[in-house]
Amino acid sequence: MLGMKRHAFFLVFAIALIAAAFGGYRYFTSNGKQTTYKFATVENGPLTAAVSAAGTLNPVATVQVGSQISGQIREILVDFNSPVKAGQMVALIDPDTYRYKLRQAEADLEATRSAVNVQRALAYQAQVNLAEAQRDFDRKSLLVAKNFISPADRDKARTTLEAAQAQLQLADAQVKNSESVVRQREAQVAQAKVDLGRTEIRSPVDGIVVKRSIEPGQTVAASLQAPELFVIARNLSDMQVETSIDEADVGRVAIGQRANFTVDAFPQRRFEGEVRQVRKAATVVSNVVTYTVIVSASNDDLTLLPGMTANVRIVTAKKDKVLKVANAALRFKPEGERDAAKVSPGGAPGDGRGRRGKPPSQVWVLDEAGKPKTVPVETGITDGTSTEITAGDVREGMEVVIGTAAPTKPATPGGPRMF
């Protein structure tokens, strides 16, 4: 009897020990798998949407000064950063060759004018011969009528008259031809004078020399295009930033939008400007499509220099008071939702877009049981960190889920340390 009681006691003790072990296992296991969430608060405040890009500072107007003739540079009269006026001579090409060409053209012109005078004298002589032949023909015609001479003499006089007429026409044609040659020689003289004048390289505008590409004694060769000698910036107090905007953001950029930028030389200073032009010509580099946007840059103190790299921020939209939420809340999805979103109901990979092609937006909050539930929302502008909520069952001060924290596993007693 006593043995049976002892056996029953040990059986009850073993059952209680197993139950306690199982309860402890369930307790620690459930605590190890419990999900802890991170939250962000829905706020009400200002929001500014902007597009950021890098660009290069350049003068608004630059003029390349070249040479239309070939020759050796004899003298350079300006250097880098030299102010120049329109019409000021900045360089001189050796003029000797073109001076001699001008003299040769002038000599050819004088020779041709002399030839014209000779042709005119010959024409006058032909005219005198014609008059003489006409008088001889008239006289012989009168004598034939009186039977003083034979008709053969009259016919011979007629032939002489016609030859004199032809000679006069030839002389007149030669005079006109010589006069045409004179005009050609005059044009050659004028061209030689122009070429001689082009040996003096002059500035076409008022400005500052920002680049000089030649040295004294260097030979320039003008063939299909004029070689570049100088680059003159018309006005360095009015500059612009040429920046490349990605095709995904260019639709938000418009003329007149405010912009600001910084340069590495003055990182603590922010320069103001506005969008002046959105060029429609696309630039494709490594399958990346960008568009050039021109941003004005005032440079009254001449602090900015051409070629500087500018970090531009174009303000595309600005609202003073909106309901906004962190972008992480719109990107968050619970573990089960992430797996379901990878495959559409038809079995094909889903694109996560609505009927009109716009991605649906939603945030997640915790229900009464502590489980995440979705709240559909409509979004507006974004500044890259927060996004405007234009519609949806959210309010200021509501906490939305932005992520999960790594679970903390309960500490387990370690065994004896082995050495």
Side-chain angles (χ1 to χ4, degrees):
M1 188 73 178
L2 183 59
M4 293 179 62
K5 289 182 178 180
R6 183 175 296 177
H7 183 270
F9 173 78
F10 281 111
L11 181 61
V12 172
F13 178 78
I15 293 173
L17 184 61
I18 293 172
F22 179 75
Y25 172 78
R26 290 293 303 273
Y27 174 79
F28 288 111
T29 303
S30 61
N31 281 352
K33 292 185 178 179
Q34 186 176 5
T35 304
T36 305
Y37 295 98
K38 297 179 182 179
F39 299 92
T41 304
V42 179
E43 300 176 347
N44 200 330
L47 191 63
T48 301
V51 173
S52 298
T56 304
L57 273 164
N58 289 310
V60 174
T62 57
V63 180
Q64 293 184 354
V65 180
S67 174
Q68 294 179 281
I69 62 173
S70 302
Q72 188 179 44
I73 300 296
R74 172 178 288 187
E75 189 177 2
I76 296 178
L77 304 177
V78 295
D79 203 349
F80 292 94
N81 303 332
S82 297
V84 294
K85 297 292 184 180
Q88 177 182 341
M89 189 167 71
V90 295
L92 177 65
I93 296 177
D94 188 0
D96 291 343
T97 301
Y98 298 95
R99 187 178 293 119
Y100 292 139
K101 287 183 178 180
L102 174 59
R103 292 179 181 177
Q104 180 180 356
E106 290 174 343
D108 292 341
L109 175 60
E110 291 300 323
T112 306
R113 284 175 176 171
S114 299
V116 170
N117 292 331
V118 172
Q119 295 297 331
R120 286 174 179 171
L122 293 177
Y124 180 74
Q125 182 179 3
Q127 187 174 3
V128 171
N129 293 337
L130 175 61
E132 177 62 26
Q134 183 67 45
R135 287 193 298 271
D136 183 59
F137 174 73
D138 294 339
R139 183 169 55 253
K140 289 183 177 181
S141 296
L142 182 60
L143 293 175
V144 168
K146 295 180 178 181
N147 294 321
F148 289 156
I149 60 175
S150 67
D153 293 335
R154 182 193 56 189
D155 295 340
K156 185 177 179 180
R158 179 183 290 110
T159 303
T160 303
L161 175 62
E162 292 176 354
Q165 291 174 346
Q167 187 66 30
L168 179 60
Q169 292 177 356
L170 176 61
D172 290 339
Q174 289 176 346
V175 169
K176 292 180 180 179
N177 180 67
S178 298
E179 290 175 347
S180 299
V181 175
V182 167
R183 288 192 291 270
Q184 290 179 352
R185 296 293 184 265
E186 290 174 346
Q188 291 175 358
V189 169
Q191 180 64 46
K193 289 181 179 179
V194 170
D195 289 342
L196 181 60
R198 286 173 177 170
T199 59
E200 298 178 353
I201 308 299
R202 299 183 179 274
S203 172
V205 295
D206 296 343
I208 296 176
V209 178
V210 297
K211 182 180 179 181
R212 176 170 66 86
S213 306
I214 54 173
E215 297 292 340
Q218 181 177 343
T219 300
V220 295
S223 53
L224 297 179
Q225 60 181 5
E228 179 187 283
L229 307 182
F230 302 92
V231 175
I232 297 177
R234 180 171 294 182
N235 185 9
L236 287 182
S237 63
D238 186 16
M239 302 187 71
Q240 64 185 19
V241 181
E242 298 181 6
T243 180
S244 297
I245 303 297
D246 188 82
E247 60 176 331
D249 298 325
V250 73
R252 297 190 285 147
V253 179
I255 297 175
Q257 291 176 340
R258 301 302 302 171
N260 56 71
F261 64 92
T262 59
V263 294
D264 294 339
F266 307 98
Q268 304 300 326
R269 183 175 175 182
R270 189 171 297 275
F271 300 88
E272 300 294 331
E274 69 175 23
V275 178
R276 283 183 176 176
Q277 186 182 51
V278 181
R279 296 180 178 173
K280 301 184 184 301
T283 302
V284 182
V285 179
S286 300
N287 293 329
V288 177
V289 181
T290 58
Y291 293 85
T292 300
V293 174
I294 305 300
V295 177
S296 64
S298 179
N299 189 30
D300 295 333
D301 55 357
L302 302 182
T303 302
L304 300 173
L305 300 179
M308 284 184 171
T309 300
N311 301 311
V312 185
R313 183 174 181 268
I314 302 173
V315 178
T316 58
K318 185 176 182 180
K319 296 184 179 180
D320 295 331
K321 190 174 182 181
V322 296
L323 199 64
K324 58 183 180 179
V325 68
N327 288 351
L330 298 170
R331 294 192 298 264
F332 172 76
K333 285 185 179 180
E335 191 69 28
E337 293 290 334
R338 296 178 195 170
D339 298 336
K342 294 179 181 179
V343 179
S344 63
D351 60 357
R353 295 181 178 270
R355 292 182 179 180
R356 296 185 178 180
K358 182 179 180 181
S361 300
Q362 58 186 6
V363 295
W364 294 81
V365 298
L366 297 185
D367 58 11
E368 293 78 2
K371 301 295 182 182
K373 69 174 182 178
T374 180
V375 178
V377 295
E378 294 183 8
T379 58
I381 65 174
T382 179
D383 62 356
T385 303
S386 301
T387 299
E388 175 192 10
I389 302 297
T390 58
D393 191 14
V394 294
R395 62 186 182 278
E396 183 181 359
M398 178 184 290
E399 290 191 339
V400 294
V401 182
I402 62 173
T404 57
T408 24
K409 296 184 179 179
T412 56
R417 185 172 182 181
M418 303 298 294
F419 295 94

